[in-house]
Amino acid sequence: MAQPGQDAKFFQRGKIEEFRTELQAAETKDKKYVKRKTVLKKIVANITMGNDMSPLFTDVVQCLGTPLLEIKKMVYLFLVSYGRSKPDQIHLVIPNFLQDCSDRNPLIRALAIRTMSYIPIPVVTDALSENLRHCLKDRDAYVRKTAAICVAKLYTADPRRAEKGGFVEMLRDLMLDSNATVVANAVAALSEIGDRQDGVIFRLNLTTANKLLAALGESSEWGQIYILDSLLRYVPERHEDAETMVERIIVQLQHANSAVVLTTIKVLLYLMNYMENRRLIDYCCKKMGPPLVTLLSSGPEVQYVALRNILLIIQRRPAVLKNDVKVFFCKYNDPIYVKLAKLEIMYRLARAENASEVLAELQEYASEVDVDFVRKAVRSIGRLAIKVEAAADRCIQALLDLIETKVTYVVQEAVIVTKDIFRRYPGKYEGIIPTLCENLDALDEPESKAAMVWILGQFGNRIDNADELLDDLLYTFLDESVEVQLALLTAAVKLFIYKSKSDKTKELVHKVLKWATEDVDNPDLRDRGFMYWRMLAINPTVAGEIVLAEKPAITTDSDRMDRGALDQLLLHTGTLGSIYHKNPETFIRNSTGKALVDSPALNAHSRAALVSLPRVQLPHTVVSVPGPGPSEPKVETPSTLLELKPAPSAPDSAPTGTPSPVIPINRETGDNLSDEDDDVDPAATGAHDPYSNLEGAFGNYLADEPRPMMGGRHDDLLF
């Protein structure tokens, strides 16, 4: 056997003609195959380096007759690389394939069948089918486990042949094999076939699931992962079945391999949806915590995978790590992506009992060097105040201390979260508004500027110089982002409603509305300007009620993921889906979705959030041939062949059974309440209208009627 590093000399770019000459010379003089082995090593090394060695196809194929296993391996590796690109020459290899499939050495038999499965060409697939059938029943376990994977390759190349040949049924029989490795490979192949949109449906019953669990202890690490993952295809019909299975696999949480641990946790979380024994559920949650904490002592890449999965797990089962918030405190040498993930988990695990520790840690982070990390830390302080009411006072004081540092990005983040705190605790912390106004010049980012403008408009009646501050911000109205422009427009209208007698606010709001409706391209901003202008001109009282309507308090419920979506994502624990927090079918082509399956054992809360996943039907290909032909009568497509979703129809043409628009009706008189406001005389309400003495502030509304920006040059485009 070659010593490590001894083959490094072969990794040098070579010429095709030189290799061909060496191979031809080796055929006549090389009785011990030493030279042939050396040349093949050079060719394989060049393939590894990315050099095209396909012109040597016929020369390399001639080496297949060599009895040495090492040479056969290199030739088959060459065929795996270039076999599918040489469909006109691959027939030269078929006799060697058939001969090696009947070789006495099981390694050669497995090597031949595996190489054939990697070449999805019809002539090779034809030769593979019969030999694969024999290999699936081979006396050697190594050949059987290789053949099991080859069935999945055959299904990818030719699904119809694989199904008609009965290979899927043979895989099902292999799941009951006496060898654990064969069982694991059969499960892996069936899982790959079942995950295809055009594949068979792979389900397990209780008997088969128990037999797979019996093979779990003798399997390799990857075999255990395949077997555990396949248990998600078992749907318990009774609570006792799920609880018994949990007790059998919970020991896998002690495994040294992180992938086995995450897969075990995935299966436990799945089975817990079908359990009713609360004590056993709490025991499982308690047992899942230490393995997850242990994963955080690995390298940063494994840490990040673990953290992203933990973020999902604690949203569904908060008890798993409720007492381990200190584990997620950031270390000085953690990469930034690990620190940001830990910050999010710290916020999720924060509660009244540990809020002081979390807040102290976040204050430390707010003085770090990394800007993104500091921003996230400051924002987390504000979110902590919203989530834990008992810690709100300390969080506000911490934010004020951070604002005093006068660091620009810290001040901006503090302003953003303070706005949300005002929404969460109305009328409680408005005393810090003067401090925020003092730092108005430090705000240069759209989000922070929009937050400050919202504060000025919302609390304009408490800020004496609100009109002056807003006027300063309006100097750059036309140059601001849409987010800030929308905030300025609404704030100006609010300020006018608060201080309707002030000439400055009248001038201010008139100027903003003019800009918004005539000088701005954005349709959202323009439409909002039209709406505000007409409301203020027609009925300022109603405008005040709408613009200054009481806003619902902010809660932390918006931070939580939908229960149904969360249950779906937890079925992908330990995969890319759990890192992206997206279902694989959204970013992997031809991937099928997973969801909990209803059964008598499914608990009520999980059933309420159940997500139905209809199996995707592949569209039928319709071939139309253009050109003249005999005219045939048009035949309506039967509803059984083509089902069209009904398009939403207009209210006046709604079909029977379609809900019509809801119109409020007076139950006593039967009158339409939606038209009642049309009969109200605006003058009749003047006695009680606080805005009735505006003295025509909007009297020139018709004169200043908004007109198209292009001055009528392109009016025909509207039609």
Side-chain angles (χ1 to χ4, degrees):
M1 182 152 180
Q3 295 297 323
Q6 192 174 353
D7 291 339
K9 60 185 178 182
F10 297 117
F11 286 85
Q12 297 177 4
R13 183 179 294 274
K15 296 181 179 179
I16 300 292
E17 290 302 324
E18 292 178 0
F19 291 148
R20 181 176 286 122
T21 304
E22 291 181 20
L23 280 174
Q24 292 172 354
E27 290 180 8
T28 56
K29 301 178 182 179
D30 191 17
K31 294 183 179 180
K32 294 186 178 180
Y33 311 109
V34 177
K35 292 184 179 179
R36 210 171 302 185
K37 192 191 304 182
T38 303
V39 179
L40 287 173
K41 284 184 178 180
K42 292 179 182 178
I43 293 172
V44 171
N46 274 264
I47 294 174
T48 307
M49 293 163 60
N51 302 328
D52 184 18
M53 296 285 111
S54 59
L56 295 172
F57 189 87
T58 54
D59 302 281
V60 173
V61 163
Q62 293 176 4
C63 299
L64 262 183
T66 309
L68 283 185
L69 178 61
E70 191 174 356
I71 289 181
K72 283 185 178 292
K73 283 183 178 179
M74 288 189 283
V75 176
Y76 279 139
L77 184 60
F78 182 92
L79 288 173
V80 168
S81 301
Y82 299 114
R84 67 179 64 194
S85 63
K86 297 287 185 179
D88 53 337
Q89 298 178 355
I90 197 66
H91 66 277
L92 301 173
V93 197
I94 300 298
N96 299 97
F97 278 146
L98 298 178
Q99 182 181 350
D100 287 349
C101 285
S102 305
D103 197 276
R104 299 175 66 179
N105 189 340
L107 294 178
I108 294 179
R109 295 200 300 273
L111 190 60
I113 204 75
R114 181 173 60 191
T115 306
M116 292 172 73
S117 68
Y118 273 95
I119 306 174
I121 296 176
V123 64
V124 180
T125 307
D126 293 339
L128 170 65
S129 300
E130 195 58 36
N131 288 284
L132 182 57
R133 194 184 309 279
H134 292 302
C135 289
L136 285 169
K137 300 176 182 179
D138 197 280
R139 62 183 181 276
D140 192 277
Y142 181 80
V143 180
R144 294 200 302 274
K145 70 105 175 174
T146 305
I149 297 297
C150 292
V151 173
K153 298 291 182 185
L154 176 63
Y155 200 99
T156 303
D158 193 347
R160 186 175 180 83
R161 180 190 295 270
E163 290 180 5
K164 290 184 67 177
F167 291 107
V168 178
E169 287 77 6
M170 296 178 75
L171 276 182
R172 183 188 60 196
D173 296 338
L174 281 184
M175 287 199 301
L176 307 178
D177 196 276
S178 57
N179 186 283
T181 307
V182 176
V183 172
N185 280 24
V187 168
L190 282 170
S191 298
E192 184 175 339
I193 293 171
D195 287 339
R196 291 170 54 95
Q197 290 186 353
D198 58 346
V200 297
I201 300 176
F202 177 30
R203 296 287 183 204
L204 295 179
N205 56 27
L206 181 59
T207 305
T208 310
N210 285 328
K211 289 182 178 178
L212 291 180
L213 286 176
L216 197 61
E218 302 175 11
S219 302
S220 63
E221 294 175 345
W222 290 111
Q224 292 180 26
I225 293 170
Y226 287 133
I227 292 175
L228 286 170
D229 200 52
S230 70
L231 295 179
L232 297 180
R233 302 175 185 272
Y234 165 65
V235 182
E237 296 295 328
R238 299 184 307 153
H239 300 300
E240 295 78 10
D241 297 339
E243 291 164 3
T244 303
M245 194 164 291
V246 162
E247 291 172 352
R248 293 184 65 181
I249 67 173
I250 199 169
V251 68
Q252 297 296 324
L253 290 174
Q254 302 173 10
H255 204 285
N257 187 294
S258 56
V260 175
V261 171
L262 283 176
T263 309
T264 305
I265 289 174
K266 171 168 61 176
V267 179
L268 290 175
L269 290 169
Y270 166 72
L271 292 174
M272 286 161 70
N273 291 297
Y274 297 90
M275 294 163 52
E276 66 173 356
N277 187 341
R278 176 53 56 183
R279 183 175 299 177
L280 183 57
I281 292 176
D282 294 340
Y283 175 75
C284 290
C285 292
K286 183 179 178 182
K287 279 290 187 181
M288 281 192 283
L292 288 171
V293 172
T294 304
L295 291 178
L296 299 181
S297 60
S298 307
E301 294 81 8
V302 177
Q303 277 190 60
Y304 183 70
V305 173
L307 290 169
R308 294 294 287 175
N309 282 277
I310 288 171
L311 191 53
L312 291 175
I313 293 169
I314 61 176
Q315 290 184 62
R316 181 66 180 85
R317 303 285 178 182
V320 173
L321 291 164
K322 66 177 182 180
N323 297 321
D324 295 312
V325 67
K326 288 185 178 180
V327 175
F328 300 99
F329 287 175
C330 300
K331 300 175 183 176
Y332 73 96
N333 58 349
D334 280 339
I336 182 62
Y337 56 88
V338 171
K339 287 183 176 180
L340 294 177
K342 285 184 175 180
L343 267 183
E344 183 65 25
I345 294 174
M346 286 169 56
Y347 161 73
R348 297 280 180 188
L349 294 177
R351 46 202 177 100
E353 291 80 6
N354 57 21
S356 299
E357 299 174 349
V358 174
L359 178 59
E361 195 72 13
L362 292 175
Q363 286 180 280
E364 290 289 331
Y365 301 157
S367 60
E368 291 281 346
V369 178
D370 191 284
V371 176
D372 291 335
F373 185 50
V374 171
R375 285 178 179 273
K376 189 71 180 287
V378 175
R379 192 163 293 203
S380 296
I381 293 175
R383 294 172 68 196
L384 181 65
I386 294 171
K387 181 180 180 181
V388 184
E389 186 173 359
D393 292 342
R394 285 168 288 171
C395 291
I396 288 291
Q397 187 57 49
L399 289 173
L400 290 175
D401 294 341
L402 291 172
I403 291 174
E404 292 299 324
T405 62
K406 303 296 182 182
V407 180
T408 306
Y409 53 86
V410 172
V411 172
Q412 296 190 107
E413 289 295 330
V415 169
I416 292 170
V417 295
T418 303
K419 168 199 160 187
D420 293 335
I421 293 174
F422 287 160
R423 290 279 307 275
R424 175 69 175 86
Y425 306 107
K428 191 172 182 181
Y429 296 110
E430 281 79 1
I432 67 172
I433 291 178
T435 306
L436 300 179
C437 294
E438 291 172 5
N439 295 274
L440 194 60
D441 296 335
L443 309 179
D444 56 5
E445 294 180 0
E447 190 177 3
S448 59
K449 193 176 288 188
M452 191 65 216
V453 169
W454 181 88
I455 293 173
L456 289 176
Q458 187 68 22
F459 304 103
N461 56 337
R462 303 188 185 187
I463 304 174
D464 296 334
N465 61 338
D467 49 355
E468 297 176 4
L469 295 174
L470 201 59
D471 194 20
D472 292 339
L473 291 170
L474 286 173
Y475 280 125
T476 57
F477 178 84
L478 296 177
D479 300 325
E480 297 287 356
S481 66
V482 175
E483 180 183 5
V484 178
Q485 288 176 332
L486 288 168
L488 285 169
L489 174 60
T490 304
V493 173
K494 287 180 180 178
L495 191 62
F496 170 74
I497 292 172
Y498 280 134
K499 302 179 179 181
S500 56
K501 296 181 180 180
S502 170
D503 294 334
K504 183 161 183 132
T505 55
K506 293 178 186 178
E507 178 187 352
L508 207 64
V509 73
H510 195 274
K511 179 169 59 175
V512 175
L513 289 173
K514 274 281 230 184
W515 283 337
T517 54
E518 296 182 8
D519 298 335
V520 172
D521 297 335
N522 187 274
D524 293 335
L525 184 61
R526 200 163 58 240
D527 289 349
R528 187 179 293 191
F530 288 152
M531 181 186 69
Y532 284 153
W533 201 331
R534 287 181 178 124
M535 281 198 306
L536 292 172
I538 295 172
N539 197 334
T541 306
V542 175
E545 293 174 356
I546 293 174
V547 177
L548 297 177
E550 185 177 353
K551 296 169 180 58
I554 287 180
T555 64
T556 56
D557 292 339
S558 58
D559 291 335
R560 298 175 187 168
M561 193 176 293
D562 178 69
R563 171 67 180 272
L566 186 58
D567 284 339
Q568 271 189 283
L569 281 177
L570 287 174
L571 296 178
H572 301 288
T573 302
T575 66
L576 276 178
S578 65
I579 298 175
Y580 294 154
H581 288 186
K582 293 181 179 180
N583 289 314
E585 61 269 22
T586 62
F587 60 89
I588 297 178
R589 190 183 298 113
N590 296 330
S591 177
T592 55
K594 291 182 180 179
L596 292 177
V597 180
D598 195 8
S599 84
L602 187 66
N603 61 56
H605 295 293
S606 298
R607 183 178 287 109
L610 208 59
V611 177
S612 59
L613 280 180
R615 194 166 180 83
V616 179
Q617 297 293 334
L618 297 180
H620 296 287
T621 304
V622 179
V623 181
S624 60
V625 181
S631 59
E632 298 179 1
K634 294 183 179 179
V635 181
E636 293 185 0
T637 306
S639 59
T640 56
L641 298 180
L642 181 64
E643 294 181 6
L644 297 178
K645 294 182 179 179
S649 53
D652 56 344
S653 62
T656 305
T658 304
S660 58
V662 178
I663 300 175
I665 301 295
N666 190 322
R667 294 190 178 185
E668 297 180 1
T669 64
D671 296 331
N672 185 349
L673 295 180
S674 62
D675 297 328
E676 287 183 3
D677 291 339
D678 297 339
D679 302 326
V680 177
D681 184 7
T685 61
H688 304 288
D689 187 357
Y691 305 105
S692 59
N693 59 347
L694 291 180
E695 297 179 356
F698 290 89
N700 58 347
Y701 171 72
L702 296 178
D704 291 331
E705 185 178 8
R707 290 176 289 275
M709 292 180 55
M710 303 305 294
R713 286 181 294 169
H714 298 292
D715 289 351
D716 56 332
L717 295 179
L718 297 175
F719 304 98

